Amino acid sequence: MAAPAIRPSSACLRYLRSQSMMISSPILSSTRSSLKQNLPLTSCTYRSPSTCIRSFSSMPARQDWLQPVRPEKRKSMVGRPRMPTGGSIRGTTIVWGDYGLRMKDHDRRVSAKQLRTGEQTIHQRLRGERYKLYKRVSANIGVYTKGSDVRMGKGKGKFDYWAARIPVSRIIFELKGDIHEAVVRDAFRLAGNKLPGMYEFVKKGDPPVVGITKLGNGVTLESLKEAKRPVEPKDKVPGQPVAPPMMDVPPQSVATDMDKPPTTVHVSP
């Protein structure tokens, strides 16, 4: 009667496996092959490579619009968003979509949480529809806070949240799809109520905006760049009178009843 086969322990298997990786000898290789034949299939399984490893692709990786890819090299300074009043119309018109949501109020700092809430509101209102939503802003400004009982100085504080500085008349969301305009208008209205400030609904083809002035109806970018007051020519002839000459008629005064009578002063001898 044959004796039952004795299987090696798990510690012995780990030791043989580590030794086989360091030293490749025929004895260990034959022993490992014999052990693999005796072991069940479940114990010889190996861990698959991680799924987070991205294979090579020519397309860029999708970035998160609510958080920058790299952290800030230096802490962001406190300031207000820049207002495009110097003749810039960048970011005030629709580029990819058919409808958009544009900031109408003064420039504001909108947090990433508020932007996420606005996006979720639009998706919830347009549930079941076929559309594509474009985001035109990114939360890449770090906001740092300090406690209420902290003395002055001692640095700027610790990081709190990411935010976006949105100037006036900047497009925030764009939507493209076969949806009725009234439905999209209602979705953007609900999203604007969740965000700080005042917003307006715009369509593709609407004129751009410079600061708070909308171009159109005779208002052009060239007319805004012109001077509001008449400018004297630089090549003016010297000696030319700027004002018309005065008339040789002496000034006349008209007496009225409201004039006070002349006062007389009596001097004693």
Side-chain angles (χ1 to χ4, degrees):
M1 185 175 179
I6 301 175
R7 294 185 178 182
S9 61
S10 60
C12 181
L13 290 176
R14 287 196 299 269
Y15 174 76
L16 293 176
R17 197 172 294 144
S18 62
Q19 292 296 326
S20 62
M21 294 176 62
M22 297 174 60
I23 304 174
S24 59
S25 61
I27 301 176
L28 291 177
S29 61
S30 60
T31 307
R32 185 171 55 184
S33 61
S34 62
L35 289 175
K36 283 185 178 181
Q37 293 178 1
N38 297 330
L39 289 176
L41 296 177
T42 57
S43 61
C44 296
T45 56
Y46 295 94
R47 182 179 297 178
S48 61
S50 177
T51 57
C52 64
I53 299 177
R54 184 171 176 266
S55 58
F56 173 78
S57 176
S58 59
M59 297 296 292
R62 185 176 181 181
Q63 299 179 359
D64 188 7
W65 67 295
L66 299 176
Q67 183 178 358
V69 179
R70 298 179 181 85
E72 294 182 326
K73 294 183 179 179
R74 59 187 298 270
K75 296 182 180 181
S76 300
M77 300 181 64
V78 179
R80 301 186 67 89
R82 295 182 179 178
M83 191 173 180
T85 57
S88 174
I89 58 176
R90 182 180 179 182
T92 60
T93 56
I94 297 177
V95 180
W96 303 294
D98 300 327
Y99 309 101
L101 183 67
R102 181 166 61 189
M103 173 169 281
K104 186 179 179 182
D105 197 6
H106 201 271
D107 40 23
R108 290 179 178 270
R109 187 178 67 184
V110 185
S111 64
K113 185 178 180 180
Q114 293 170 341
L115 293 174
R116 171 65 73 182
T117 303
E119 181 190 13
Q120 292 177 354
T121 304
I122 296 175
H123 289 319
Q124 185 177 2
R125 177 62 181 85
L126 303 178
R127 181 179 300 174
E129 303 287 348
R130 298 177 61 87
Y131 64 93
K132 187 172 183 180
L133 187 66
Y134 299 92
K135 278 81 69 175
R136 296 287 301 272
V137 297
S138 60
N140 55 359
I141 302 297
V143 180
Y144 303 83
T145 58
K146 298 174 65 175
S148 58
D149 296 336
V150 179
R151 303 177 68 178
M152 296 181 63
K154 309 300 182 183
K156 188 177 180 64
K158 295 183 178 180
F159 174 80
D160 193 7
Y161 59 91
W162 293 105
R165 291 176 182 171
I166 305 177
V168 65
S169 304
R170 179 63 59 88
I171 298 290
I172 300 178
F173 295 111
E174 289 188 16
L175 190 139
K176 182 178 182 180
D178 191 9
I179 309 177
H180 197 274
E181 178 183 345
V183 180
V184 182
R185 188 184 293 270
D186 186 49
F188 283 160
R189 178 186 63 83
L190 296 174
N193 294 338
K194 300 290 185 179
L195 298 174
M198 299 174 60
Y199 300 87
E200 61 179 348
F201 178 80
V202 293
K203 297 186 294 184
K204 191 175 184 64
D206 288 354
V209 183
V210 179
I212 57 177
T213 305
K214 295 184 179 180
L215 302 183
N217 297 329
V219 181
T220 59
L221 189 60
E222 289 74 14
S223 63
L224 292 177
K225 293 182 180 180
E226 293 178 356
K228 301 301 181 182
R229 299 179 180 178
V231 181
E232 297 181 0
K234 295 182 179 179
D235 53 351
K236 185 178 62 174
V237 179
Q240 182 180 1
V242 178
M246 300 291 293
M247 300 179 64
D248 297 336
V249 180
Q252 298 179 1
S253 61
V254 180
T256 59
D257 296 339
M258 299 298 295
D259 295 340
K260 297 181 179 180
T263 58
T264 57
V265 180
H266 298 279
V267 180
S268 59

PDB file of all heavy atoms in Angstrom, residues 261-269:
ATOM      1  N   PRO A 261     -27.871 149.037  -2.623  1.00  0.00           N
ATOM      2  CA  PRO A 261     -27.452 150.452  -2.805  1.00  0.00           C
ATOM      3  C   PRO A 261     -26.062 150.655  -2.255  1.00  0.00           C
ATOM      4  O   PRO A 261     -25.631 149.968  -1.325  1.00  0.00           O
ATOM      5  CB  PRO A 261     -28.495 151.231  -1.993  1.00  0.00           C
ATOM      6  CG  PRO A 261     -29.001 150.259  -0.995  1.00  0.00           C
ATOM      7  CD  PRO A 261     -28.958 148.915  -1.645  1.00  0.00           C
ATOM      8  N   PRO A 262     -25.344 151.637  -2.815  1.00  0.00           N
ATOM      9  CA  PRO A 262     -23.974 151.867  -2.325  1.00  0.00           C
ATOM     10  C   PRO A 262     -23.990 152.397  -0.899  1.00  0.00           C
ATOM     11  O   PRO A 262     -24.839 153.198  -0.509  1.00  0.00           O
ATOM     12  CB  PRO A 262     -23.428 152.913  -3.295  1.00  0.00           C
ATOM     13  CG  PRO A 262     -24.629 153.581  -3.860  1.00  0.00           C
ATOM     14  CD  PRO A 262     -25.708 152.552  -3.917  1.00  0.00           C
ATOM     15  N   THR A 263     -23.089 151.931  -0.132  1.00  0.00           N
ATOM     16  CA  THR A 263     -22.993 152.318   1.272  1.00  0.00           C
ATOM     17  C   THR A 263     -22.098 153.549   1.407  1.00  0.00           C
ATOM     18  O   THR A 263     -21.063 153.672   0.719  1.00  0.00           O
ATOM     19  CB  THR A 263     -22.428 151.160   2.101  1.00  0.00           C
ATOM     20  OG1 THR A 263     -21.139 150.805   1.563  1.00  0.00           O
ATOM     21  CG2 THR A 263     -23.350 149.945   2.034  1.00  0.00           C
ATOM     22  N   THR A 264     -22.505 154.485   2.256  1.00  0.00           N
ATOM     23  CA  THR A 264     -21.732 155.706   2.503  1.00  0.00           C
ATOM     24  C   THR A 264     -21.139 155.627   3.898  1.00  0.00           C
ATOM     25  O   THR A 264     -21.772 155.207   4.865  1.00  0.00           O
ATOM     26  CB  THR A 264     -22.610 156.928   2.412  1.00  0.00           C
ATOM     27  OG1 THR A 264     -23.686 156.818   3.318  1.00  0.00           O
ATOM     28  CG2 THR A 264     -23.168 157.083   0.982  1.00  0.00           C
ATOM     29  N   VAL A 265     -19.891 156.044   3.975  1.00  0.00           N
ATOM     30  CA  VAL A 265     -19.148 155.991   5.232  1.00  0.00           C
ATOM     31  C   VAL A 265     -18.875 157.431   5.664  1.00  0.00           C
ATOM     32  O   VAL A 265     -18.300 158.245   4.900  1.00  0.00           O
ATOM     33  CB  VAL A 265     -17.836 155.211   5.095  1.00  0.00           C
ATOM     34  CG1 VAL A 265     -17.117 155.185   6.420  1.00  0.00           C
ATOM     35  CG2 VAL A 265     -18.114 153.820   4.567  1.00  0.00           C
ATOM     36  N   HIS A 266     -19.308 157.867   6.843  1.00  0.00           N
ATOM     37  CA  HIS A 266     -19.103 159.203   7.382  1.00  0.00           C
ATOM     38  C   HIS A 266     -17.862 159.198   8.267  1.00  0.00           C
ATOM     39  O   HIS A 266     -17.730 158.373   9.172  1.00  0.00           O
ATOM     40  CB  HIS A 266     -20.320 159.653   8.216  1.00  0.00           C
ATOM     41  CG  HIS A 266     -21.588 159.724   7.387  1.00  0.00           C
ATOM     42  ND1 HIS A 266     -21.902 160.805   6.574  1.00  0.00           N
ATOM     43  CD2 HIS A 266     -22.621 158.850   7.272  1.00  0.00           C
ATOM     44  CE1 HIS A 266     -23.072 160.594   5.989  1.00  0.00           C
ATOM     45  NE2 HIS A 266     -23.525 159.410   6.401  1.00  0.00           N
ATOM     46  N   VAL A 267     -16.975 160.103   7.949  1.00  0.00           N
ATOM     47  CA  VAL A 267     -15.728 160.197   8.712  1.00  0.00           C
ATOM     48  C   VAL A 267     -15.763 161.483   9.514  1.00  0.00           C
ATOM     49  O   VAL A 267     -16.018 162.584   8.975  1.00  0.00           O
ATOM     50  CB  VAL A 267     -14.498 160.217   7.769  1.00  0.00           C
ATOM     51  CG1 VAL A 267     -13.214 160.312   8.577  1.00  0.00           C
ATOM     52  CG2 VAL A 267     -14.506 158.971   6.878  1.00  0.00           C
ATOM     53  N   SER A 268     -15.564 161.396  10.776  1.00  0.00           N
ATOM     54  CA  SER A 268     -15.607 162.576  11.659  1.00  0.00           C
ATOM     55  C   SER A 268     -14.361 163.416  11.452  1.00  0.00           C
ATOM     56  O   SER A 268     -13.258 162.867  11.267  1.00  0.00           O
ATOM     57  CB  SER A 268     -15.700 162.132  13.128  1.00  0.00           C
ATOM     58  OG  SER A 268     -14.605 161.345  13.452  1.00  0.00           O
ATOM     59  N   PRO A 269     -14.480 164.758  11.489  1.00  0.00           N
ATOM     60  CA  PRO A 269     -13.295 165.625  11.308  1.00  0.00           C
ATOM     61  C   PRO A 269     -12.325 165.495  12.492  1.00  0.00           C
ATOM     62  O   PRO A 269     -12.710 165.152  13.600  1.00  0.00           O
ATOM     63  CB  PRO A 269     -13.889 167.006  11.206  1.00  0.00           C
ATOM     64  CG  PRO A 269     -15.198 166.935  11.906  1.00  0.00           C
ATOM     65  CD  PRO A 269     -15.705 165.511  11.718  1.00  0.00           C
TER      66      PRO A 269
END
